[in-house]
Amino acid sequence: MRIPVRKELQLPSASFTTIELQEAHFDPNWHFHPHYQLFTVLEGTGTRFIGDDIRHFEAGDTVFLGPNIPHLWRSDRAYFEGNPQLKTHGIVAYFTEDFLGEGFFDKPEMHVLKQLLEKGQRGLDIRGAARQMVRENLKKIASNQGFETILELLTTLHHLANSSEVVYITSVGYVNTHKVSETERMQRVYEYVMKHFKEEIRLNEVAALANMTEAAFCRYFKSRTNKTFSDFVSEIRIGHACKLLVQEKYSVTQICYESGFNTVSNFNRQFKNQTGKSPLQYQKVYMRGGE
C-alpha cells in the first residue's frame, strides 16, 4: 500500500487542534503537512528525522515545526514487537497561520510571533526552561477546551518567540523537495536502513530498492535530503550510539560494534564530527544534565 508523504490532517471546526497520542509506537511514516505544529514526547525512545536532521529522541523531546517540513519520530524496534510494557505518549498541537483570521499575525502587535513563525520554517528544537514551559502548557491545552486554549497557545508562542532556548533544526537553505509520488521509494530506503544499520549496508542493494543505479541513487538521495547516503547511515548509527551511551550499560567498544561501526577509531572520529564531543565526553555531559 502506498503511504502518502503529504499528510492530510482533517482538522475539526475549531481554530486549531490538539491531539494526545498514546499508542504502541509513534506513526512510522515519514510525512509532511501544511500546518505548524508544537510537539512534545512524554514517553518513548527512538530516532527523530526532521528535514535534513537526524538524532536520537526520548521523553522530553520538544519541537516547533513550520509547514511542509518532512518529519518522523521512528520508535525503537522494541516498540513494534508487541511488548505491553512499552508504549509511546506525546501531545501535538496543529494550527495554520490564519487560524485566527487572515492577516492576524501581520498586525504590529504580533510582530514577535510573526518572527517565530518565520523561524519555524527551519524547525526549532526547544530546550531548557522553555521546553518545560511548552510541555506543561500543551498538557493544559490538551485537557481544556474553548477560549482558554487559544489564550494558552498564544501565550506559549509568545514565550517561545522571546526565548533564547531554541535552536534551528534543519540546515541553512534547507528546502523540502519531496513529492508525494516519491513516498514509497523513500519509505523503502528509510525502513531498510533502520532495520539493517547494525550490519554492513551495501549501496547496490539500497539503490535496487529505489529502482536506480548506484550513481543515480546517490544524486537523488543528496538532492532530497541535503546529505550523502553514507552520512545518513552514519547519523543513524551515531544516534543509536548516543542512546546506548546514556544508558551506561556498555563500554565504548561494545557500543561501537553494536551501532554498526567496524573500528573504534572510525567510531570515535565520526562521533566527534557529528556531536562535537568524544563518546565519553558526551556521556559525561549528559549525566551532568547538560544540553
Side-chain angles (χ1 to χ4, degrees):
M1 180 177 69
R2 290 179 177 267
I3 309 168
V5 71
R6 182 183 176 90
K7 191 171 186 178
E8 298 297 337
L9 298 173
Q10 299 299 320
L11 302 188
S13 58
S15 54
F16 74 98
T17 192
T18 305
I19 302 174
E20 190 159 3
L21 308 168
Q22 291 180 287
E23 302 289 347
H25 53 74
F26 288 126
D27 182 354
N29 300 313
W30 194 58
H31 61 274
F32 62 87
H33 45 71
H35 302 83
Y36 290 88
Q37 74 173 60
L38 270 172
F39 176 62
T40 188
V41 176
L42 299 176
E43 189 172 356
T45 63
T47 302
R48 186 187 83 184
F49 303 79
I50 299 177
D52 59 356
D53 180 79
I54 305 169
R55 65 187 62 218
H56 168 69
F57 78 82
E58 57 190 40
D61 196 69
T62 304
V63 302
F64 176 59
L65 303 183
N68 298 319
I69 300 178
H71 53 275
L72 161 64
W73 274 258
R74 174 74 185 188
S75 301
D76 285 330
R77 188 180 302 179
Y79 288 83
F80 294 88
E81 296 175 349
N83 185 342
Q85 295 182 332
L86 289 177
K87 61 180 181 179
T88 60
H89 186 189
I91 301 176
V92 59
Y94 297 106
F95 64 93
T96 58
E97 187 167 350
D98 62 353
F99 82 106
L100 291 177
E102 188 174 352
F104 178 80
F105 287 105
D106 294 325
K107 306 295 184 183
E109 300 88 346
M110 298 297 110
H111 178 66
V112 292
L113 294 187
K114 182 72 171 182
Q115 288 183 315
L116 175 68
L117 298 185
E118 292 172 355
K119 290 180 180 178
Q121 301 295 327
R122 282 181 57 193
L124 296 175
D125 206 352
I126 305 169
R127 303 179 177 181
R131 170 186 289 181
Q132 189 60 32
M133 177 273 299
V134 171
R135 287 165 60 79
E136 293 305 316
N137 287 4
L138 280 175
K139 291 177 184 177
K140 293 177 186 177
I141 293 170
S143 61
N144 292 313
Q145 57 184 349
F147 184 65
E148 290 183 0
T149 62
I150 296 177
L151 289 179
E152 198 72 60
L153 178 61
L154 288 176
T155 299
T156 303
L157 295 176
H158 183 263
H159 281 309
L160 273 184
N162 291 282
S163 175
S164 60
E165 296 179 303
V166 295
V167 179
Y168 285 118
I169 295 175
T170 64
S171 59
V172 176
Y174 172 78
V175 176
N176 174 19
T177 59
H178 292 282
K179 302 175 183 177
V180 174
S181 59
E182 297 172 340
T183 307
E184 187 176 7
R185 173 183 289 165
M186 291 300 291
Q187 191 75 22
R188 286 198 302 266
V189 172
Y190 275 46
E191 291 286 345
Y192 182 86
V193 174
M194 292 303 298
K195 185 176 181 180
H196 297 284
F197 71 86
K198 295 182 183 181
E199 311 159 12
E200 179 183 1
I201 293 181
R202 292 183 172 86
L203 181 60
N204 64 326
E205 295 178 358
V206 181
L209 285 175
N211 295 318
M212 292 180 171
T213 65
E214 293 180 31
F217 172 75
C218 288
R219 291 192 298 270
Y220 167 82
F221 192 88
K222 188 169 185 178
S223 71
R224 296 301 186 271
T225 64
N226 205 32
K227 65 185 68 182
T228 66
F229 179 69
S230 61
D231 285 343
F232 169 74
V233 174
S234 180
E235 288 183 15
I236 297 291
R237 289 169 171 164
I238 294 299
H240 182 70
C242 288
K243 182 185 73 170
L244 296 182
L245 282 166
V246 302
Q247 292 176 351
E248 292 192 295
K249 294 180 180 179
Y250 309 98
S251 68
V252 170
T253 299
Q254 288 174 310
I255 291 173
C256 162
Y257 296 114
E258 177 65 20
S259 301
F261 292 93
N262 292 325
T263 66
V264 175
S265 60
N266 183 41
F267 169 60
N268 286 334
R269 182 175 64 256
Q270 294 201 40
F271 193 97
K272 190 165 187 177
N273 285 343
Q274 288 191 36
T275 67
K277 303 176 181 67
S278 71
L280 288 179
Q281 288 172 334
Y282 178 92
Q283 189 178 59
K284 289 177 181 177
V285 169
Y286 181 88
M287 297 313 296
R288 290 199 304 266
E291 289 289 342

